[in-house]
């Protein structure tokens, strides 16, 4: 055999193939550069050196030449690592290398692959001549202080995840570079953090200069000045507690960019609670920073790794030659100066095991992470989420800001043993209780007993400008049907694609500047980040934090002569979703006993009830195969062996119980609007759709339950967008199933949707 190669180019001479030695060196160098940010560069370099040594086997080389089927090439490097390095380093390296294609495995799976009696692999003798000499243990030590968590096993398991991210992203990028013809792959070209900081300062100064004198604008200016001053604080954990309407979204971005510029941090990751609002948050950021600022929107709309190719004859040697692999490889790694994403995307990635989800994680190191509406973290996963936040700040140079109008009791000084080590000196806002008093613009009423939709509809008829927020998409449609004949009646939910929702909101805001009526029925998607101002808001009973968010849409600018009216009611025609029961019950006591249930002390009492009285076990209680399966104890049990159950953790860690799947709706703003159809046609015509096109497609996505999506596909209501993909991109083929006022119609006699649990 004249040469040993890592990657082939079908139809071209072997002189144009990539030598194995070149690939191992390049992946090792790139992985080392990534991990060097948090001090583990040499260990990552070694993982890159070993990851593909199995490709030195005759069996794999025969595969590249088209003479044999594919074969295992990742177990080889794992065995070298385990044999040549002592525990735990050898185990860590083996876990990384064994999983660099299939994902991080459970410990018993790694054990099987390391045992030659259980797993047979092709001989790979001679690999040493294609790899750099293996370094001694002393060279693998970290170059910066690494502190252990008080949770046994957690720091080690988290380090494995971060090193895995470095390895797989380096492998993706270096393979992509080779197949791009040895040309550097464009990755950025956007303004750096200092340039973005200067742009935002100019924008905010202009906004402040143009603002009219008012109590609300005075508070916004005060908050902005405070976060600018406190950007000099050392990196770590922070809180930013600003009442709704106090300008916290742009204030948090101001702090993040100033803080990053001051301390040499690399990027800003803004984490919104819901997919429904990241488009508008990104739009606000682009307006402030410029379209060319490199703002990346990323959420889990499309899952390319779960897609399957229909072309069974397409060969894939890990190079991305088949369309699905190419799309998977285009997954974002968050190599952008400003990332806007969701809590689902962030936290599920932090506990994922698949390569496509994990490759972004190393870019969280040395970043500012803003958790908008931090109180939205789900209770059954609260402790694992907090553990990850603290670890990023402790060992990876990240600054994390818990940004909310209703700061949850998540600090240890609040008496929450599993909370974060944040004290009052790390609060970025000036005197949050005083801000809350200053910005008190509403009075909250509680209607006793069940309230039928007819009562709410009567009030809509009396009040020309009113918003009602309910707990499910089904209820939103039912209530809207009652008020639809009224002037200015509109509906908002995630049954409408994002572009449709934006059009409705833009029209409502325009109308509100005049005298015409505006009557809105919405799900909770309107509560976070939507800048709209009405004099009266009704809220179906829910958690107190959600009531506070609803109140933020009432008298937002403080323009009314008296307080705005916020009414909390129990819908007689729509029982509350089970998922909201704990929060609703905790809110009830506060609403019953407090004169101002939105005051900081009332909010604190609410979260005490939610977090503290549930017991520690309830805050790490995901389900695996129908049984409770706590994550942190599962790591602690394997702290000594390092045989962590990564695959099982990934299955158990789900922020949303029922994953929704996307349907593409080619919605038209006007009869001659062909933007969606043009985009879909371009995607269908390309072997590898452009990443920008896929992001634009997110504006037309409606999430639906998987069973309903499968039923509609079988009935021909949906069809694939791309000819070589099955299931990843499905478009609605008959717009008769999309109501121009309420969005996608879910009614179907053969399907009973779990709508009571769908709240957006």
């Amino acid at each position: 055999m004249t040469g040993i190669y890592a990657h082939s180019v079908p139809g071209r001479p072997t002189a144009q193939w990539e030598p194995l030695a070149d690939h191992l060196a390049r992946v090792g160098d790139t992985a080392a550069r990534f991990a060097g940010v948090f001090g583990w560069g040499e260990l990552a370099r070694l993982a890159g050196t070993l990851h593909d040594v199995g490709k030195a086997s005759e069996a794999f080389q025969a595969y590249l030449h088209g003479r044999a089927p594919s074969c295992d090439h990742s177990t080889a490097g794992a065995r070298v690592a385990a044999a040549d390095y002592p525990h735990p380093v050898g185990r860590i390296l083996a876990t990384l290398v064994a999983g660099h294609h299939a994902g991080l495995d459970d410990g018993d799976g790694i054990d099987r692959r390391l045992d030659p009696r259980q797993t047979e692999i092709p001989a790979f003798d001679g690999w040493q001549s294609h790899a750099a000499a293996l370094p001694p243990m002393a060279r693998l030590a970290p170059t910066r202080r690494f502190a252990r968590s008080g949770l046994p096993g957690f720091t080690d398991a988290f380090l494995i995840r971060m090193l895995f991210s470095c390895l797989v992203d380096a492998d993706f990028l270096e393979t992509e570079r080779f197949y791009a013809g040895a040309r550097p792959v464009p990755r950025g070209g956007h303004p750096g953090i200092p340039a973005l900081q200067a742009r935002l300062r100019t924008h905010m100064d202009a906004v402040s200069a143009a603002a009219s004198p008012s109590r609300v604008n005075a508070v916004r200016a005060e908050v902005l000045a405070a976060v600018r001053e406190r950007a000099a604080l050392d990196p770590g954990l922070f809180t930013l507690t600003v009442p709704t309407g106090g300008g916290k979204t742009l204030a948090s971005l101001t702090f993040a960019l100033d803080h990053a510029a001051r301390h040499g941090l690399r990027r800003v990751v803004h984490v919104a609670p819901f997919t429904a609002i990241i488009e508008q948050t990104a739009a606000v950021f682009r307006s402030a920073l410029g379209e060319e600022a490199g703002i990346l929107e990323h959420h889990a709309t499309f899952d390319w790794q779960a897609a399957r190719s229909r072309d069974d004859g397409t060969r894939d040697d890990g190079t991305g030659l088949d369309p699905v692999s190419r799309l998977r490889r285009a997954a974002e790694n968050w190599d952008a100066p400003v990332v806007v994403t969701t809590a689902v995307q962030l936290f599920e990635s932090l506990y994922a095991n698949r390569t496509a989800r994990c490759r972004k994680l190393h870019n969280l190191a040395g970043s500012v992470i803003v958790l908008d509406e931090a109180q939205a973290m789900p209770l059954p996963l609260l402790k694992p989420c907090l553990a990850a936040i603290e670890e990023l700040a402790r060992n990876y140079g990240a600054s994390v800001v818990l940004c909310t109008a209703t700061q949850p009791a998540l600090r240890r000084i609040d008496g929450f043993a599993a909370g974060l080590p944040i004290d009052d000196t790390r609060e970025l806002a000036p005197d949050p209780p005083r801000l809350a008093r200053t910005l008190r613009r509403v009075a909250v009423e509680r209607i006793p007993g069940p309230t039928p939709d007819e009562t709410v509809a009567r009030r809509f008829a009396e009040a020309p400008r009113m918003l009602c927020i309910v707990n499910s998409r089904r209820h939103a449609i039912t209530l809207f049907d009652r008020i639809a004949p009224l002037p200015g009646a509109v509906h908002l939910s995630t049954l409408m694609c994002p572009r449709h929702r934006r059009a409705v909101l833009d029209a409502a805001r325009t109308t509100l500047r005049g005298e015409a009526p505006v009557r809105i029925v919405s799900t909770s998607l309107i509560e976070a980040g939507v800048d709209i101002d009405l004099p009266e808001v009704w809220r179906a009973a829910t958690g107190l934090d959600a009531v506070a968010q609803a109140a933020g849409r009432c008298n937002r600018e403080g323009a009314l002569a008296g307080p705005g009216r916020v009414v909390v009611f129990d819908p007689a025609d729509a029982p509350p979703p089970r998922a909201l029961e704990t929060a609703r019950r905790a809110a009830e006591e506060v609403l019953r006993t407090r004169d101002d249930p939105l005051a900081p002390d009332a909010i604190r009492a609410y979260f005490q009830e939610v977090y503290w009285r549930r017991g520690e076990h309830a805050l790490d209680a995901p389900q695996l195969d129908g049984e409770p399966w706590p994550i942190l104890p599962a790591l602690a049990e394997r702290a000594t062996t390092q045989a962590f159950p990564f695959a099982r953790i990934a299955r158990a860690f789900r922020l949303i119980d029922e994953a929704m799947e996307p349907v593409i709706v080619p919605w038209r703003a006007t009869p001659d609007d062909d933007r969606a159809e043009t985009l879909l046609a371009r995607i269908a015509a390309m072997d590898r759709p452009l990443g920008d096109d896929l992001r634009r497609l997110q504006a037309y996505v409606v999430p639906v339950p998987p069973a309903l999506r499968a039923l509609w596909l079988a009935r021909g209501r949906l069809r694939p967008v791309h000819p070589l993909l099955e299931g990843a991109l499905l478009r609605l083929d008959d717009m008769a199933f999309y109501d121009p006022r309420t969005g996608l119609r879910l009614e179907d006699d053969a399907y009973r949707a779990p709508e009571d649990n769908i709240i957006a």
Side-chain angles (χ1 to χ4, degrees):
M1 194 172 293
T2 58
I4 301 295
Y5 302 98
H7 298 121
S8 62
V9 183
R12 295 188 183 180
T14 56
Q16 296 182 26
W17 294 11
E18 184 177 35
L20 178 59
D22 291 355
H23 181 65
L24 296 180
R26 287 171 176 151
V27 172
D29 288 345
T30 301
R33 176 165 54 85
F34 291 160
V37 174
F38 51 90
W40 288 89
E42 290 309 308
L43 192 59
R45 185 190 307 279
L46 178 53
T49 299
L50 292 174
H51 82 288
D52 270 357
V53 298
K55 289 185 175 182
S57 70
E58 289 189 10
F60 191 85
Q61 294 301 305
Y63 164 65
L64 289 183
H65 285 269
R67 299 193 297 265
S70 183
C71 60
D72 180 345
H73 70 269
S74 55
T75 301
R79 290 184 179 178
V80 171
D84 286 22
Y85 290 92
H87 186 81
V89 170
R91 180 72 187 203
I92 291 172
L93 285 166
T95 302
L96 301 175
V97 172
H100 80 271
H101 277 308
L104 290 169
D105 201 357
D106 289 335
D108 51 0
I110 300 295
D111 290 339
R112 283 192 297 272
R113 294 177 66 177
L114 293 178
D115 186 347
R117 296 168 300 178
Q118 297 190 59
T119 302
E120 184 177 349
I121 63 172
F124 57 105
D125 299 335
W127 65 269
Q128 294 89 342
S129 62
H130 305 281
L134 301 187
M137 274 290 297
R139 195 186 301 172
L140 302 179
T143 58
R144 54 178 288 179
R145 176 181 172 272
F146 214 69
R148 292 199 169 274
S149 164
L151 302 170
F154 190 86
T155 293
D156 290 337
F158 202 90
L159 173 63
I160 291 172
R161 291 185 185 282
M162 294 295 276
L163 290 170
F164 184 68
S165 172
C166 296
L167 173 62
V168 297
D169 196 30
D171 192 21
F172 277 137
L173 293 177
E174 289 305 324
T175 301
E176 184 182 21
R177 180 205 58 76
F178 170 71
Y179 279 97
R183 297 186 303 275
V185 178
R187 312 281 317 168
H190 306 299
I193 291 292
L196 295 179
Q197 176 198 25
R199 289 185 186 188
L200 183 59
R201 184 171 289 266
T202 299
H203 174 81
M204 296 305 295
D205 289 347
V207 169
S208 298
S212 59
S214 72
R215 179 181 44 157
V216 173
N217 284 332
V219 166
R220 291 170 181 166
E222 184 182 3
V223 170
L224 186 65
V227 299
R228 284 175 171 173
E229 177 185 349
R230 295 174 189 181
L233 291 172
D234 290 340
L237 298 169
F238 300 92
T239 56
L240 174 60
T241 311
V242 179
T244 301
K248 66 178 169 33
T249 298
L250 283 173
S252 68
L253 181 62
T254 297
F255 170 80
L257 289 174
D258 285 3
H259 185 69
R262 176 69 176 259
H263 296 286
L265 303 182
R266 303 186 297 163
R267 64 182 46 80
V268 173
V269 180
H270 182 98
V271 183
F274 311 117
T275 297
I277 67 169
I278 74 167
E279 296 95 346
Q280 66 192 25
T281 301
V284 169
F285 287 0
R286 289 192 185 98
S287 176
L289 300 176
E291 287 292 333
E292 72 284 3
I295 295 169
L296 170 68
E297 297 173 41
H298 188 212
H299 48 80
T301 298
F302 304 120
D303 185 354
W304 300 116
Q305 196 164 30
R308 292 175 294 138
S309 174
R310 284 180 173 171
D311 185 359
D312 295 333
T314 300
R315 219 162 47 85
D316 178 15
D317 62 355
T319 66
L321 293 182
D322 78 84
V324 175
S325 295
R326 289 181 178 180
L327 291 168
R328 184 183 68 237
R329 188 147 296 156
E332 307 294 352
N333 67 352
W334 290 3
D335 185 12
V338 178
V339 177
V340 182
T341 190
T342 63
V344 171
Q345 183 64 240
L346 173 70
F347 288 112
E348 288 194 358
S349 294
L350 283 166
Y351 284 94
N353 71 317
R354 297 186 315 189
T355 57
R357 295 297 295 271
C358 291
R359 64 177 290 198
K360 66 176 78 71
L361 297 182
H362 69 90
N363 277 325
L364 293 171
S367 298
V368 185
I369 304 166
V370 177
L371 294 175
D372 196 10
E373 308 305 342
Q375 76 282 353
M377 287 183 283
L379 295 180
L381 293 169
L382 183 62
K383 287 172 67 176
C385 288
L386 295 180
I389 290 169
E390 186 174 354
E391 189 70 15
L392 284 166
R394 178 194 297 111
N395 285 322
Y396 296 90
S399 284
V400 184
V401 183
L402 304 184
C403 178
T404 177
T406 55
Q407 196 62 249
L410 294 177
R411 306 179 304 172
R412 291 175 192 165
I413 64 170
D414 296 323
F416 184 28
L420 297 170
I422 311 175
D423 60 30
D424 290 337
T425 66
R426 307 291 284 185
E427 170 60 55
L428 301 177
D431 193 357
R434 178 179 58 80
L435 292 182
R437 291 192 298 271
T438 302
L439 285 185
R440 184 180 180 186
R441 291 153 292 171
V442 304
V444 179
E445 304 172 23
R446 181 70 168 98
I447 296 180
T451 301
D453 285 353
E454 181 182 354
T455 300
V456 182
R458 270 201 312 269
R459 181 56 191 161
F460 263 118
E462 298 165 354
R465 294 190 164 192
M466 175 174 148
L467 163 66
C468 181
I469 305 171
V470 296
N471 288 324
S472 75
R473 304 193 299 191
R474 186 185 300 279
H475 190 200
I477 290 175
T478 302
L479 181 57
F480 174 75
D481 285 343
R482 284 184 174 270
I483 73 162
L486 296 174
V490 295
H491 163 278
L492 288 168
S493 83
T494 54
L495 289 174
M496 304 156 68
C497 69
R499 187 165 173 244
H500 187 182
R501 293 198 305 268
R502 286 200 298 271
V504 170
L505 280 168
D506 288 346
R509 292 189 189 102
T510 300
T511 303
L512 286 168
R513 289 196 286 269
E515 301 297 328
V518 176
R519 297 173 166 101
I520 304 174
V521 174
S522 178
T523 58
S524 61
L525 69 85
I526 201 170
E527 290 177 343
V530 176
D531 186 359
I532 198 163
D533 189 352
L534 294 108
E536 184 167 336
V537 174
W538 286 48
R539 184 55 168 96
T542 183
L544 197 61
D545 50 331
V547 173
Q549 289 298 325
R553 314 313 123 189
C554 183
N555 196 21
R556 187 176 180 87
E557 298 298 325
L560 298 178
R565 185 185 187 210
V566 175
V567 179
V568 180
F569 69 101
D570 289 306
D573 304 306
R578 291 187 300 275
L580 298 180
E581 186 61 22
T582 297
R584 189 187 66 81
R585 287 182 177 276
E588 196 59 41
E589 177 69 14
V590 177
L591 288 166
R592 186 177 61 82
T593 60
R594 303 278 179 148
D595 292 334
D596 181 7
L598 303 184
D601 62 335
I603 295 293
R604 183 178 301 277
Y606 163 73
F607 280 111
Q608 287 176 349
E609 176 71 18
V610 171
Y611 295 152
W612 300 351
R613 298 181 187 178
R614 281 176 61 89
E616 292 283 317
H617 67 282
L619 305 179
D620 181 8
Q623 297 280 313
L624 183 65
D625 299 328
E627 298 291 334
W629 200 79
I631 288 172
L632 299 181
L635 294 174
E637 289 170 8
R638 297 157 180 85
T640 302
T641 64
Q642 307 276 302
F644 299 114
F646 290 112
R648 277 177 285 173
I649 287 172
R651 287 171 51 211
F653 193 98
R654 289 289 181 267
L655 263 70
I656 300 175
D657 289 338
E658 183 186 19
M660 305 291 273
E661 293 184 352
V663 167
I664 313 302
V665 176
W667 178 79
R668 296 175 182 266
T670 61
D672 59 350
D673 174 15
D674 62 354
R675 290 168 60 178
E677 291 292 358
T678 300
L679 182 60
L680 287 166
R682 186 164 63 239
I683 289 172
M686 299 185 71
D687 181 40
R688 174 181 174 176
L690 300 174
D692 284 345
D693 281 349
L694 296 175
R695 282 191 289 275
R696 291 188 186 98
L697 200 60
Q698 292 172 352
Y700 300 96
V701 167
V702 174
V704 300
L708 181 61
R709 189 173 182 260
L711 177 65
W712 282 7
L713 178 62
R715 291 187 170 183
R717 293 181 188 174
L718 307 177
R719 63 182 169 91
V721 171
H722 196 283
L724 293 180
L725 293 177
E726 188 176 287
L729 285 181
L730 296 177
R731 61 165 290 168
L732 184 66
D733 210 28
D734 184 352
M735 288 298 287
F737 291 97
Y738 191 85
D739 189 292
R741 300 193 72 179
T742 59
L744 200 62
R745 299 178 184 273
L746 296 188
E747 298 87 352
D748 195 303
D749 291 340
Y751 170 76
R752 187 173 182 271
E755 275 295 286
D756 283 347
N757 292 321
I758 300 173
I759 61 176

